[in-house]
Amino acid sequence: MSGGGPGADGGARLRAYPALPVWVVEDHQDVLPFIYRAIGSKHLPASNISFVHLDSHPDLLIPVNMPADTVFDKEALFSELSIENWIMPAVYAGHISQVVWLHPPWAQQISEGKHNFLIGKDISTTTMRVTGTDHYFLSDGLYVPADQLENQKPLNLHVILINPTEASNSREENGEVASAKRLKLNTDDTASTTSASSSVAPGDLDHSTPSVKKKEVQNTSALNRAETLSECSASSSLGNSECPIREVVKDVCQALQKGDAYVLDIDLDFFSVKNPFKEMYTQTEYELLQELYNFKKPQRNATEEGLLDCVENRVHQLEDLEAAFADLCDNDDEETLQKWASCPGMKPLVQLVHSLKTRMESPDYEMVHQAGLTCDYMELPHHVSTEEEIEGLIQSIKVLLKDMPKPTLVTVARRIHSMTMNPFSSCLCILSQRRGEPWIQDA
């Protein structure tokens, strides 16, 4: 990872922030303007950025009907984005090349491991599409073969599980982890140090507000651009973790070496998450939505033709459901309902609408459709964590970040459900108490 050294960003030296910026927002898509601002100010390169994404959701969908060229008009792009589809446009624009999705055990939307695929402009629709064949993309009708894409951009996606660490057994917490030999991520990177006084107190960052937090956490300590990586030896503290943290550190740092700089992105729903639709609809209604929107998966090792058939059928299914609920928005009388219920796969619509109308004077059918779109091959994650689970994940992140290189900037999305323990301050403390060289001061 070349950071701010020569060669990054087409040969130009990147600027260095005097202190690590931490941008805090409520809605996750609102971090993208800050990333673009860093690109424009030459703190991030215009291409080959790595993105480390801690979240219960991948956020890797695509605005289905948005013209691909919209990504080249920043203001138009930002107005089109939502919480589930804001990363991939930056990949198609050529800025991000590596995404590392670090997810908790209850988030399984994309299969573990490395996924290398293309994103580009579909020559038949002029929208963005991908060659990725994971169910995550197929169920949204986003797959096309490579020969149907122009302006192709590659994406290296790494999906890595983070298990909670038992704080009581953490040797790292007790200061017993040895600092093993260190591996420079880039020997060409020159050391430069800057300092500035802290501009944000912990209390200022702890209260919620609907507006975007455009506050920068400043670092009073010297920041060395020649970042290093320790080999973590704390695996004995991880109990029965499927993916020990030392292996996660290794995998993440290997991915980061492919990029010229990286952004660390944290969504607080990584620690605890709710599926909002489960609170909006009854269990029966939710099960009816699952039946209506069920995604018929392709056969294992399906051919290109089989994948195309799968996507075509899925697109038609979703178009029919969208049309049905659009009709119901205009008129949800029995005649309209029975007309749509007579279509293949639509029979559960009758029971669903009847149930909704007994509870609501005027059901929001557009919202019902949005809820249905999340009921395909897998539910949205829903796991209200205990304090012990949250603390275990905080410990895991602490071990992980201890040996990672310093990012160019940090983004945090913190619109979370009410929980007994808010991990926001803990995340800031992890950054400020990082062993060796704190990333931020007085958090």
Side-chain angles (χ1 to χ4, degrees):
M1 185 173 71
S2 55
D9 197 26
R13 178 181 293 275
L14 295 175
R15 297 172 61 192
Y17 285 113
L20 178 68
V22 179
W23 297 109
V24 183
V25 303
E26 302 299 319
D27 294 320
H28 210 160
Q29 73 271 19
D30 290 334
V31 307
L32 194 59
F34 296 108
I35 295 171
Y36 272 52
R37 182 184 299 176
I39 294 171
S41 63
K42 306 296 184 182
H43 289 93
L44 281 173
S47 61
N48 203 25
I49 298 170
S50 297
F51 194 72
V52 178
H53 181 58
L54 287 93
D55 200 333
S56 282
H57 308 93
D59 297 347
L60 292 171
L61 294 177
I62 292 171
V64 175
N65 297 316
M66 186 184 80
D69 290 346
T70 304
V71 303
F72 304 115
D73 181 340
K74 288 189 298 183
E75 297 309 316
L77 172 63
F78 297 156
S79 69
E80 292 280 347
L81 300 179
S82 56
I83 56 174
E84 78 281 359
N85 61 22
W86 57 276
I87 298 175
M88 292 298 277
V91 178
Y92 177 67
H95 302 312
I96 295 175
S97 299
Q98 286 80 226
V99 172
V100 181
W101 179 38
L102 303 178
H103 65 94
W106 49 82
Q108 302 288 336
Q109 298 94 312
I110 302 178
S111 57
E112 296 292 310
K114 299 178 182 178
H115 305 256
N116 300 315
F117 56 91
L118 302 171
I119 182 172
K121 181 197 288 188
D122 186 339
I123 58 177
S124 64
T125 65
T126 72
T127 57
M128 286 182 288
R129 292 295 184 264
V130 299
T131 60
T133 58
D134 194 273
H135 294 154
Y136 180 79
F137 301 111
L138 294 175
S139 65
D140 242 41
L142 298 178
Y143 166 81
V144 297
D147 60 10
Q148 198 171 320
L149 293 177
E150 60 184 13
N151 193 27
Q152 299 175 356
K153 298 296 189 329
L155 175 63
N156 300 312
L157 171 62
H158 303 256
V159 179
I160 302 175
L161 172 66
I162 301 290
N163 277 301
T165 298
E166 292 184 18
S168 59
N169 295 331
S170 176
R171 293 173 56 202
E172 189 277 336
E173 184 71 8
N174 295 328
E176 298 175 9
V177 176
S179 178
K181 70 176 184 178
R182 293 179 173 266
L183 168 68
K184 280 187 178 295
L185 286 180
N186 190 324
T187 56
D188 294 331
D189 206 2
T190 57
S192 64
T193 60
T194 57
S195 65
S197 61
S198 176
S199 64
V200 181
D204 294 334
L205 287 166
D206 262 339
H207 65 277
S208 290
T209 175
S211 62
V212 175
K213 307 296 182 190
K214 299 179 179 179
K215 298 180 180 179
E216 191 171 316
V217 180
Q218 303 289 351
N219 189 351
T220 60
S221 64
L223 301 179
N224 191 335
R225 296 291 295 181
E227 294 295 339
T228 59
L229 164 65
S230 294
E231 291 184 353
C232 176
S233 59
S235 61
S236 61
S237 71
L238 302 180
N240 295 322
S241 296
E242 291 180 31
C243 190
I245 297 300
R246 66 179 299 179
E247 293 302 317
V248 172
V249 172
K250 177 181 176 182
D251 291 344
V252 172
C253 288
Q254 283 181 346
L256 294 182
Q257 286 180 334
K258 299 177 182 178
D260 292 327
Y262 90 96
V263 174
L264 174 62
D265 175 70
I266 304 171
D267 191 324
L268 295 191
D269 75 12
F270 172 86
F271 299 95
S272 183
V273 63
K274 282 186 177 181
N275 177 348
F277 299 120
K278 284 196 167 184
E279 297 184 336
M280 295 172 63
Y281 305 108
T282 67
Q283 181 176 345
T284 298
E285 289 165 353
Y286 196 78
E287 290 171 354
L288 290 167
L289 281 170
Q290 290 177 313
E291 188 176 350
L292 279 168
Y293 286 83
N294 179 56
F295 169 59
K296 186 177 181 180
K297 301 175 183 178
Q299 293 182 346
R300 186 181 295 273
N301 299 321
T303 63
E304 181 180 300
E305 182 180 0
L307 293 172
L308 288 172
D309 286 343
C310 169
V311 168
E312 182 179 5
N313 291 335
R314 180 61 171 172
V315 169
H316 288 158
Q317 177 191 11
L318 296 180
E319 287 176 345
D320 288 346
L321 286 162
E322 182 179 16
F325 283 108
D327 263 8
L328 291 170
C329 285
D330 295 334
N331 186 352
D332 63 354
D333 63 12
E334 197 65 20
E335 182 181 353
T336 303
L337 181 57
Q338 293 298 334
K339 178 189 74 172
W340 282 106
S342 65
C343 298
M346 292 282 202
K347 187 176 179 180
L349 194 62
V350 174
Q351 185 180 352
L352 174 62
V353 171
H354 286 169
S355 177
L356 292 170
K357 292 177 75 171
T358 60
R359 297 193 306 110
M360 309 172 188
E361 181 178 347
S362 180
D364 184 346
Y365 292 114
E366 184 177 351
M367 183 62 70
V368 175
H369 176 58
Q370 293 302 316
L373 292 173
T374 70
C375 300
D376 37 39
Y377 67 100
M378 182 177 293
E379 296 180 11
L380 286 178
H382 184 88
H383 182 89
V384 180
S385 300
T386 63
E387 287 191 18
E388 182 180 21
E389 287 173 319
I390 293 174
E391 181 59 34
L393 286 172
I394 289 172
Q395 291 300 322
S396 294
I397 299 307
K398 187 171 185 178
V399 174
L400 173 69
L401 296 186
K402 179 182 72 69
D403 288 325
M404 282 177 59
K406 182 173 70 68
T408 299
L409 58 89
V410 177
T411 54
V412 180
R414 68 175 188 180
R415 175 171 287 184
I416 54 175
H417 66 83
S418 176
M419 62 176 78
T420 56
M421 176 182 180
N422 192 324
F424 182 65
S425 294
S426 297
C427 288
L428 293 180
C429 287
I430 289 171
L431 297 175
S432 64
Q433 296 173 4
R434 179 174 175 269
R435 182 181 295 275
E437 180 183 53
W439 287 345
I440 62 176
Q441 186 78 12
D442 295 333

